């Protein structure tokens, strides 16, 4: 097992909120006349914790993704790890040369040219001038700034700035690369180049910690994901499982993972659903591409003689994935299980919603968007580029046969 190159224990960061300032000298003098001693008392400070009791470990060669809402504490954690800010509580240690790209504007001097900033960044990383010169042409070509490399970076657009900053951080061979959500500034083609380069960095055995709201990027690049919520770690584990759980929570606008209970009113009502045979701690997450049975439980309060039941599956964008219906159902009073057995659900990882309905003749007895949503935490096996991956996630076996092998 590879050694840990990043380790943090009990990390916390507390900040002061802004203090109220008196509007002018007149008010300050009035306050001094009324209370000479009170005028010099410091206003009570209001503080908040951007990070609370966070512990994590990243091993050598691992690609770790950090996800969470805006303001959850992801960037604060990266700033502690990159030694930009000190933690209020806890400690962190990093073993190796660190390259960081935390926000547009960090690490470059605005009065220096792109060329000078490249050499300055390399020197800060501990590289020799000869090492930087060997990589320089590759950096400039990657950033697509050949015509502007001798222009002071204060004249760069945000896109030009982040292209050069990423090129420097990725090409100067840091042993640990920390990347915040800055790639959104670049255009689509540059984002693809950055993803390819980060993939190359990861395959070279270097350690990457990536913050991104582009969850498909996280799925393709990361070995493990940490979900940061309100300054603490909410979930830490397998990439597909954590990302899918996060998507599901965001779709429900759920901040604490609470599940909704239904009251059994009316003639009949769906009360819950689950994946049969799933883990007891999470009966709504599917982690395999094998056979699966989905069960919907309906409470019948009055007998149903000629029932009609419909079911539909929607993805996060409310596209219909599948639908089915059954007629002439007879249901007695009590609980009934409606079970659907599938050979597999070959859908892309993400969150999905089951819509179930029950009618008696033309009367609607219940229509329920089942909560919580179903989370598919299966490993993606479709195309690595989103625009070609489609809606399905079907495993395939590929082989190449020569003409001789075909005729054998």
């Amino acid at each position: 097992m590879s050694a840990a190159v990043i380790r943090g224990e009990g990390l916390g960061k507390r900040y002061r909120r802004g203090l109220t300032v008196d509007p002018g000298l007149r008010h300050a003098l009035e306050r001094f006349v009324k209370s000479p001693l009170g005028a010099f008392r410091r206003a009570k400070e209001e503080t908040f914790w951007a990070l609370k009791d966070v512990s994590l470990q990243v091993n050598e060669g691992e690609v770790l993704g950090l996800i969470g809402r805006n303001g959850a504490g992801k960037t604060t954690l990266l700033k502690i790890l990159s030694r930009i800010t000190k933690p209020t509580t806890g400690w962190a240690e990093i073993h190796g040369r660190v390259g960081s790209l935390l926000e547009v504007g960090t690490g470059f001097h605005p009065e220096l040219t792109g060329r000078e900033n490249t050499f300055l960044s390399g020197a800060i990383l501990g590289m020799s001038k000869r090492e930087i010169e060997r990589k320089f042409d590759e950096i400039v070509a990657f950033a697509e700034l050949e015509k502007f490399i001798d222009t002071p970076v204060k004249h760069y657009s945000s896109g030009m700035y982040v292209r050069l900053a990423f090129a420097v951080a990725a090409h100067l061979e840091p042993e640990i690369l920390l990347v915040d959500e800055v790639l959104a500034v670049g255009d689509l083609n540059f984002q693809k180049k950055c993803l390819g380069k980060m993939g190359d960095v990861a395959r070279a055995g270097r350690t990457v910690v990536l913050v991104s709201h582009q969850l498909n990027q996280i799925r393709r690049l990361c070995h493990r994901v940490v979900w940061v919520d309100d300054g603490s770690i909410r979930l830490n584990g397998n990439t597909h499982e954590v990302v899918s759980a996060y998507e599901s929570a965001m779709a429900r606008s759920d901040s604490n993972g609470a599940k909704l209970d239904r009251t059994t009113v009316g003639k009949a009502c769906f009360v819950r659903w689950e994946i049969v045979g799933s883990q007891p701690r999470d009966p709504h997450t599917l982690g395999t591409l094998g056979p699966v049975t989905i069960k919907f439980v309906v409470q019948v309060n009055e007998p149903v003689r000629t029932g009609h039941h419909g079911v539909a599956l929607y993805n996060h964008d409310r596209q219909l994935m599948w639908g089915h219906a059954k007629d002439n159902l007879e249901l007695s009073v009590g609980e009934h299980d409606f079970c659907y057995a599938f050979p597999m659900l070959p859908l892309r990882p993400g969150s999905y919603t089951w819509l179930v309905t029950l009618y008696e003749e033309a009367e609607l007895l219940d229509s329920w968007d089942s909560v919580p949503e179903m989370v598919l935490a299966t490993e993606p096996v479709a195309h690595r580029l989103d625009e070609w991956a489609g809606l399905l996630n079907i495993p395939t076996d590929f082989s190449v046969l020569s003409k001789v092998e075909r005729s054998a």
Side-chain angles (χ1 to χ4, degrees), residues 15 74-86 102-103 178 180:
Y15 289 105
K74 307 181 299 297
T75 299
T76 301
L77 178 57
L78 278 195
K79 286 182 176 180
I80 290 175
L81 296 180
S82 58
R83 304 169 199 148
I84 291 176
T85 185
K86 289 183 178 181
L102 300 188
E103 54 191 47
L178 307 178
D180 201 351

Side-chain angles (χ1 to χ4, degrees), residues 104-105 153 155-165 182 184-186 190:
V104 177
V153 298
H155 299 304
Y156 284 11
S157 68
S158 58
M160 295 166 66
Y161 201 111
V162 78
R163 291 207 305 269
L164 181 61
V182 295
V185 178
F190 184 71

Side-chain angles (χ1 to χ4, degrees), residues 264-271 297-301 333-336:
T264 56
V265 297
K267 194 171 184 178
C269 177
F270 290 97
V271 292
V297 180
V298 59
Q299 173 67 42
V300 178
N301 299 321
V333 174
E335 273 195 358
H336 297 265

